[in-house]
Amino acid sequence: MQIPFRRNPTHTLGVELELCIVDRRSGALVDAATELLDELGASHPGGEHPKAKHELFECTVEVITGVCTTPAEAHDDLLDTLREVAAAAGRRGLGLMSAGTHPFGRPAERAISPDPRYAALVEEMQWAARRLLIFGTHVHVGVRSGEKAIVIVNELQRYLPLLLALSASSPYLEDEDTGMASVRSKVFEALPTAGLPPTLAGWADFEAFMGTLIEARCISSIREVWWDIRPHPDFGTVELRMCDAAPTVREVTAIAALAQALVAWIDDLDDRGELGPPPREWTVRENRWLAGRHGLEAELIVDEAGARRPARDLVAELVDTLTPVAVRLGSEAELRDVLVLAGLAPADAPVGSGPGYLRQRRVIAGGGDPAGVVGALVRELDEELQAR
């Protein structure tokens, strides 16, 4: 099976963010996506907004950027669309919340979006799909070829746990503190083609694997492969999908800056012949678990002898390594926000009060309840959208 890959000569950037629609008074999820999107799309060709989309559940709106050059451009693009969506929601007494899970929402109570592909997904996957009341941040970074994409996907797995830990914002599920920093990561991996990607030998190996899955009727399209990191041939990108929906656009932008700089850095190392063998699958799998369980408090495995180091130390070292790349890409300020998010640098915005899972738990520790967690998340995003 041959799969054409759309070549990107530069490391372009695209971001997708999935958000909850909630009642501002109760914090409960509201199935209003079709109503909001119909209004937003009315002035666009075909009645569809180009940057606000349906997702699996009717209580979710996905906001996407166009093809951007820098994280700052992606930040402004996201804000523009989010302000449109938030205004439409506000006219109905609704708000937007961004996190990996809704603290007390239950999937059995939510309607599926009116798109035949979602109905087909639920029919095929049953319980594994019906429980996907989860929300993510996806980042696309342009690469030059399919061969490059496979090299980068393989090496990026080494850093996947750090990206997950930084974005972790789903400690609660169905009114319960799961004890996880990112329970979303465990819910999503129940799908048969989700979770860690296999280590592949090259683009031909990827084509052969996709051909096997289609021939065996495991999938009908390569779009149904939802690995944590995957090549996206139609866009000519590597797509990073491991991250929870971050609570603020500033955090989303920091994660996008880290992703773009990582891809560019790995690409450079490959050009110079300085990449070693890909990380071992067992190490990545264990570190993914540790990051999902403990977030930035995790101690991750760093060598074949089993030595472990604090995730925050690894984040600080990685940002230091990537800073020259970020200077070249024009994203040094946004990359520095990764340190702010990790609590390693001073802050002047919500991104500085620690990762999402800790902020949510502080609400409860301070005497709040799950509805109060939703309220705090809605206010954080509101403050960004109202700032000029």
Side-chain angles (χ1 to χ4, degrees):
M1 177 182 184
Q2 290 192 330
I3 304 174
F5 187 90
R6 181 178 178 177
R7 180 177 180 271
N8 266 305
T10 60
H11 297 300
T12 55
L13 189 64
V15 180
E16 304 165 355
L17 180 63
E18 299 164 351
L19 301 107
C20 308
I21 306 167
V22 299
D23 181 273
R24 282 187 170 274
R25 296 184 66 180
S26 68
L29 291 166
V30 179
D31 293 333
T34 294
E35 185 179 343
L36 296 182
L37 293 173
D38 283 350
E39 177 186 330
L40 293 170
S43 60
H44 293 277
E48 292 188 3
H49 194 289
K51 294 181 179 179
K53 308 289 184 183
H54 276 291
E55 253 299 328
L56 175 61
F57 286 99
E58 266 285 278
C59 59
T60 310
V61 171
E62 181 182 51
V63 173
I64 65 175
T65 69
V67 178
C68 301
T69 303
T70 65
E73 184 183 346
H75 172 275
D76 292 347
D77 195 335
L78 278 177
L79 275 183
D80 286 345
T81 306
L82 279 169
R83 284 175 175 141
E84 288 188 66
V85 179
R91 288 189 283 273
R92 295 162 172 82
L94 307 177
L96 300 179
M97 186 203 91
S98 186
T101 54
H102 184 277
F104 58 93
R106 298 180 185 274
E109 299 170 358
R110 305 270 58 90
I112 301 296
S113 294
D115 185 320
R117 72 188 180 98
Y118 293 131
L121 173 67
V122 172
E123 174 61 26
E124 177 61 28
M125 301 297 178
Q126 292 294 314
W127 174 85
R130 291 197 303 269
R131 68 200 291 262
L132 291 176
L133 191 61
I134 55 176
F135 312 91
T137 301
H138 302 162
V139 181
H140 289 262
V141 183
V143 294
R144 285 177 280 165
S145 67
E147 288 295 339
K148 276 286 188 183
I150 297 302
V151 170
I152 291 166
V153 167
N154 286 342
E155 181 62 19
L156 274 175
Q157 293 186 61
R158 194 183 309 277
Y159 306 98
L160 184 161
L162 292 180
L163 285 152
L164 175 57
L166 284 162
S167 70
S169 62
S170 53
Y172 299 108
L173 186 70
E174 298 185 26
D175 228 1
E176 177 184 356
D177 188 332
T178 64
M180 304 282 292
S182 171
V183 72
R184 169 192 163 273
S185 61
K186 302 308 291 181
V187 173
F188 193 65
E189 71 179 17
L191 293 178
T193 57
L196 292 178
T199 299
L200 296 166
W203 189 249
D205 196 16
F206 175 76
E207 290 176 320
F209 187 21
M210 294 300 104
T212 299
L213 291 177
I214 289 172
E215 184 66 24
R217 300 189 300 280
C218 298
I219 61 173
S220 59
S221 161
I222 64 173
R223 290 180 63 191
E224 296 169 16
V225 172
W226 298 296
W227 296 333
D228 287 344
I229 314 169
R230 68 179 182 181
H232 199 301
D234 292 345
F235 294 166
T237 63
V238 167
E239 182 183 7
L240 295 87
R241 302 171 48 85
M242 76 290 288
C243 294
D244 283 1
T248 66
V249 179
R250 184 173 173 183
E251 289 164 275
V252 172
T253 307
I255 290 164
L258 178 60
Q260 185 188 39
L262 264 172
V263 169
W265 178 61
I266 293 169
D267 195 5
D268 290 345
L269 290 176
D270 183 51
D271 283 347
R272 298 197 298 266
E274 295 176 6
L275 273 184
R280 295 286 292 272
E281 187 271 344
W282 73 265
T283 306
V284 177
R285 187 170 300 280
E286 180 64 19
N287 280 345
R288 183 182 187 274
W289 157 254
L290 292 168
R293 167 63 180 89
H294 300 287
L296 287 167
E297 284 67 54
E299 293 194 349
L300 302 179
I301 302 166
V302 293
D303 62 28
E304 292 296 314
R308 288 166 64 160
R309 295 186 59 206
R312 282 189 173 85
D313 290 355
L314 298 175
V315 168
E317 290 177 7
L318 183 59
V319 169
D320 186 59
T321 297
L322 295 178
T323 293
V325 179
V327 170
R328 188 181 83 218
L329 294 170
S331 61
E332 185 179 6
E334 292 79 12
L335 182 66
R336 182 167 177 77
D337 267 349
V338 172
L339 299 179
V340 179
L341 174 57
L344 298 169
D348 58 4
V351 70
S353 53
Y357 65 94
L358 289 181
R359 303 210 298 273
Q360 291 182 45
R361 286 198 169 112
R362 287 190 198 119
V363 173
I364 300 296
D369 60 11
V373 172
V374 174
L377 289 164
V378 170
R379 284 192 297 274
E380 283 189 1
L381 190 55
D382 278 349
E383 288 172 6
E384 275 196 311
L385 299 182
Q386 293 164 9
R388 294 290 176 180

